[in-house]
Amino acid sequence: MAKEGKRRVRERWTTRLGVILAVAGSAVGLGNFLRFPVQAAENGGGAFMIPYFFAFFLLGIPLCWVEWSMGRYGGQLGRGSAPAIFSAFWKSPVAKYVGTLGVIGPLIIFFYYIYIESWTLGYAVYGIFGKYMGFSTQGELEAFLSQYQGLGEAGTLLPAYIFFLVTFAANFIIIYLGVSRGIERVSKVAMPILAILGLILAVRVLTLATPDMAHPDWNVNNGLGFMWNPNLRMLGNADVWLAAAGQIFFTMSVGMGIILTYSSYLRRKDDVVLSSLSASSANGFMEVIIGGSVVITAACVFFGASETVKIAESGAVNLGFVTMPLIFTKMLGGQFFALIWFALLFIAGITSSISMLQPAIAFMEDELRFSRHKSVGLLALICFVMCQFPILGLKRGLLDDLDFWGGTFLIVLFGLVQVVIFGWVFGMGRGWKELHTGADIRIPRIYRFIIKFVTPTYIAILLVVWFIQESFSVITMDNYPPQDRPYILVLRLILLALFGGFCYLIHYAWKKYPVREETT
Amino acid sequence: MTPGGWIFLILSWAVIIGLCVFCFRKVFQLQRSNTSEPPEIETEADVLRSDSEGKTS
């Protein structure tokens, strides 16, 4: 391993399929199987797919191309994190500080995401031993989940904490192994397994017979109808369009800084256009086809449409950890399918969570010239401390607050900054040329216009609407009970301090290593 | 499931499956045609050379 302070040989992806699967693995996560069906069912059913595809083609795909292209460009300068990549595209001393969002954003998501990911591991292991197979009502499963989370009176956090430690260790071992030996190898094995598990579950759900003859309308046909029958009147509601755009941001891993870092390990002449589109299509497959077939359809078959409305309203966590286990208790071979379901979620989770760590690792290795050993050790320490907030403060809403800042607000803001830097500061002419370097397919020319005008306007509208509708209540913490607000405030101050700490590290790195090569 | 539901389901699935088939067919075709080329391996010497070229230019 190269010594600290010296420029090291940057790792590279070994195969094209490897990088596609790694990016797809980053994008395919819990949101594909739990968040998407809830969003679709609540926002017009089949009609939701109209704003969804609008957002997919006008936000998701252009942003992916921009991120892939900017990342590869940064990689040629030996830089793989947003601060340095932004500096290369935007010759302003401010650029590197703005880029901090691309390092800290994915970390904020990691702080809570890994805890939920560890629940999937816990429930998979519990499924093997049939720990929740004896329950027969929603209430019993809800109590079981509360107990697992240490929230119930008789609950203890110990088992959940052990599963958290195992998941945490697994993530950092993969990251320690590096880009090609760790992330790429895991993605190449995990993604095909994920697709097979997803298909098995989808086939099982779509071939379910009517379980209760007293309710013949509780069947697969009506379950699919609940999910897909279009309510076109909902298209007049701006919230539906916002929900679709938010889903695209969340599911495609855009605006997080992850793709920037991943694509920085490409070679100069490696294609980004086709690879980016391939990863996006794989994510779409897992979301629309698998995610759209399994959860809501199964809930309708076993509980009927009116109960499914309540289930969908209870949120994605309830759907995954209460409703689905209950369905498995009623299903033939349920224990086996419960294991498949939670293994699917765990694999989807781990391929996403490792990607959230890599921007910070790249920052430490490329900018601070830390060794991998030191980078991984320091990041593990920061993450371990920060993960305690959602674990111990789950009841206080700390997990929800982290989810808002990391998984909703920052990704939209960072996406806007990124597309403006690419289309306006760097310039569309140069950007277009950069995109097509080594490209295996050409992007339709209309996307020059879309990247420059449509995508930034679309995102700006999202932010303005959010600002008008929600910013006040978010800032004043109106959506939390008064007794929880001090905890939320402390968490926000710590996140601000973390942001300040990273800004200082950037300042330090630029001062210590002032010579930065540029290829522009 | 209404006919409208079927239309939306089939169209959505067709768009996603079509995109997947188009992309991955192309990726595998290109991968096969590239397998005869020797793999590109970047050594430390390459990086040092590109560094020194960058500094002199």
Side-chain angles (χ1 to χ4, degrees), chain A residues 7 9 12 16 46 49-50 53 221 224-225 228-230 267 274 277-278 281 284-285 289 293 440-441, chain B residues 1-2 4-6 8-9 12-13 15-17 19-20 23-24 26-28 30-31 40 42 44 51:
Chain A
R7 182 159 171 211
V9 179
R12 299 280 182 210
R16 170 191 244 190
M49 297 314 290
I50 294 176
F53 278 119
N221 191 38
L224 286 173
W228 289 98
N229 285 346
R267 291 175 183 80
L274 179 62
L277 206 56
S278 305
S281 69
F285 181 86
I289 295 176
S293 305
D440 287 325
I441 53 170
Chain B
M1 180 103 138
T2 62
W6 281 112
F8 272 89
L9 182 144
S12 302
W13 283 33
V15 169
I16 294 294
I17 293 173
L19 196 60
C20 276
C23 291
F24 282 96
K26 202 110 191 158
V27 166
F28 287 118
L30 289 164
Q31 198 163 297
E40 188 186 334
E42 194 172 46
E44 191 149 10
D51 274 1

Side-chain angles (χ1 to χ4, degrees), chain A residues 44-204:
Chain A
F48 178 75
M49 297 314 290
I50 294 176
Y52 180 88
F53 278 119
F54 258 92
F56 183 72
F57 287 109
L58 298 180
L59 278 182
I61 287 179
L63 274 172
C64 278
W65 278 330
V66 166
E67 269 200 50
W68 276 75
S69 170
M70 288 176 84
R72 182 186 58 182
Y73 184 88
Q76 306 320 303
L77 310 176
R79 305 282 178 257
S81 64
I85 294 172
F86 277 14
S87 291
F89 277 82
W90 177 21
K91 311 292 177 220
S92 160
V94 181
K96 55 185 178 292
Y97 298 110
V98 176
T100 313
L101 299 176
V103 179
I104 203 166
L107 280 184
I108 293 176
I109 303 175
F110 181 86
F111 298 151
Y112 69 88
Y113 192 91
I114 188 158
Y115 186 42
I116 302 176
E117 185 186 319
S118 74
W119 300 351
T120 65
L121 179 64
Y123 268 61
V125 174
Y126 281 1
I128 295 170
F129 297 106
K131 267 208 130 180
Y132 45 75
M133 297 312 285
F135 298 125
S136 57
T137 63
Q138 288 267 129
E140 285 175 321
L141 258 305
E142 274 169 16
F144 182 79
L145 178 63
S146 287
Q147 219 169 7
Y148 179 83
Q149 293 165 336
L151 298 178
E153 278 180 21
T156 165
L157 199 54
L158 188 66
Y161 206 85
I162 292 169
F163 286 116
F164 160 72
L165 289 176
V166 173
T167 312
F168 190 88
N171 273 268
F172 276 90
I173 288 169
I174 295 169
I175 282 297
Y176 184 75
L177 289 172
V179 171
S180 55
R181 281 201 315 141
I183 298 170
E184 184 172 351
R185 226 181 251 184
V186 167
S187 302
K188 274 177 161 174
V189 176
M191 289 310 287
I193 294 175
L194 189 71
I196 291 167
L197 296 182
L199 285 171
I200 291 173
L201 269 176
V203 169
R204 179 70 193 107

